Amino acid sequence: MSNKQKGIIALLLLIFSVFGSGLDLSNILPKPEPPNAAILVIETPSKEVLDRVEIFSTIVKNPDDRAKLAIFNYEFADRVSGYNTSSQQVNDVYSFAGKTFFKSDLVDKYDNLAEEIVKLMESVIGVDNHILSKSEKDDLNTYFMGVAWVLINKG
């Protein structure tokens, strides 16, 4: 490196040391924006499932309630496959867990929400009390994951 190049570098460093610390580059450099955080990562349900559960995105409007209901239904769907239980016990678990998780936050807040949940559960496992088959538990998982998905991704 020649003496001339060394001198230029020294001069630039001197200028930066005197003036550089006071430079505000924040308006020149773009500010990185964090990506939206995904509440849950759920595979897109089939058209059949979406058609059945889309009603939930129509009923529940509040974004906080949608997020909480999505998380609740995701957890229920994730766990139900491992239960060795009857249809009545699954209904009781869902109801008790809902009362514990939501307290009275959703009571009478959304018309037809409770009725649609009951209809969905009955469409999958029927109305007669019996021990759930693996197929029924898998269907509960599929449909309640669908509920979680539409609450996050629709509306």
Side-chain angles (χ1 to χ4, degrees):
M1 190 181 282
S2 73
N3 285 338
K4 187 175 180 181
Q5 290 173 332
K6 288 179 185 178
I8 292 174
I9 291 174
L11 182 62
L12 288 174
L13 288 173
L14 181 63
I15 291 171
F16 181 75
S17 66
V18 173
F19 301 107
S21 62
L23 290 178
D24 182 17
L25 301 176
S26 63
N27 60 347
I28 298 171
L29 300 174
K31 295 177 185 172
E33 293 191 25
N36 290 338
I39 295 174
L40 301 169
V41 179
I42 305 171
E43 211 174 286
T44 304
S46 69
K47 180 167 176 18
E48 174 188 346
V49 171
L50 285 176
D51 289 345
R52 175 58 189 93
V53 300
E54 199 164 27
I55 186 77
F56 292 97
S57 70
T58 305
I59 294 172
V60 182
K61 298 296 183 192
N62 181 287
D64 290 337
D65 290 344
R66 291 171 73 91
K68 289 176 186 174
L69 273 165
I71 292 166
F72 178 80
N73 282 288
Y74 174 86
E75 284 298 323
F76 173 75
D78 190 47
R79 295 173 187 209
V80 75
S81 298
Y83 295 160
N84 185 19
T85 186
S86 70
S87 54
Q88 183 60 53
Q89 289 169 326
V90 164
N91 186 30
D92 293 345
V93 164
Y94 188 93
S95 297
F96 182 73
K99 287 176 186 173
T100 303
F101 185 78
F102 295 107
K103 299 182 178 42
S104 62
D105 294 347
L106 299 180
V107 174
D108 296 328
K109 188 170 183 179
Y110 297 106
D111 291 338
N112 297 324
L113 178 60
E115 292 83 355
E116 287 299 327
I117 291 169
V118 169
K119 284 182 195 176
L120 178 61
M121 200 165 292
E122 286 179 353
S123 72
V124 176
I125 61 176
V127 293
D128 294 330
N129 190 23
H130 63 283
I131 299 298
L132 296 180
S133 68
K134 179 177 178 349
S135 173
E136 288 172 316
K137 292 187 280 188
D138 290 346
D139 287 348
L140 281 172
N141 171 279
T142 299
Y143 280 93
F144 280 88
M145 281 291 184
V147 171
W149 190 91
V150 298
L151 288 170
I152 294 171
N153 294 291
K154 297 277 186 171

